[in-house]
């Protein structure tokens, strides 16, 4: 599974979700879905905008975590 560490990068940059939303021109609701690991997909344009706003790399936000045995997705 892919884990989104958007909250970690936002904390490192001392940026709120509403500030990020304004900078990348993405709704607060859509960023919240991404931040809370509820998104099923992410557009490259969204990822690019978030990385530009947070001055980071995609790997700083996205992490691959193998499924745990016996767990559910």
């Amino acid at each position: 599974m892919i884990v989104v560490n958007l909250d970690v990068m936002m904390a490192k940059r001392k940026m709120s979700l509403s500030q990020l939303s304004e900078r990348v021109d993405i709704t607060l609701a859509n960023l919240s879905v991404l931040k809370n690991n509820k998104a099923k997909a992410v557009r490259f344009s969204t990822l690019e905008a978030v990385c530009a706003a947070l001055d980071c790399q995609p790997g700083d936000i996205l992490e691959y975590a193998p499924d745990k045995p016996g767990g559910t997705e």
Side-chain angles (χ1 to χ4, degrees):
M1 96 187 250
I2 302 296
V3 178
V4 180
N5 294 313
L6 185 57
D7 52 345
V8 174
M9 279 312 297
M10 288 171 41
K12 286 182 180 180
R13 301 297 190 251
K14 297 182 172 134
M15 189 180 297
S16 70
L17 197 61
S18 59
Q19 289 172 319
L20 183 60
S21 174
E22 289 174 12
R23 287 188 185 189
V24 297
D25 197 29
I26 296 171
T27 66
L28 204 54
N30 284 340
L31 276 179
S32 183
V33 166
L34 184 60
K35 180 174 121 0
N36 294 316
N37 283 300
K38 301 294 182 193
K40 296 292 181 191
V42 180
R43 291 177 189 242
F44 281 156
S45 58
T46 299
L47 186 58
E48 183 178 0
V50 169
C51 286
L54 293 174
D55 188 29
C56 67
Q57 294 295 313
D60 296 327
I61 297 172
L62 302 176
E63 173 186 354
Y64 172 68
D67 291 339
K68 295 178 181 164
T72 59
E73 191 173 311

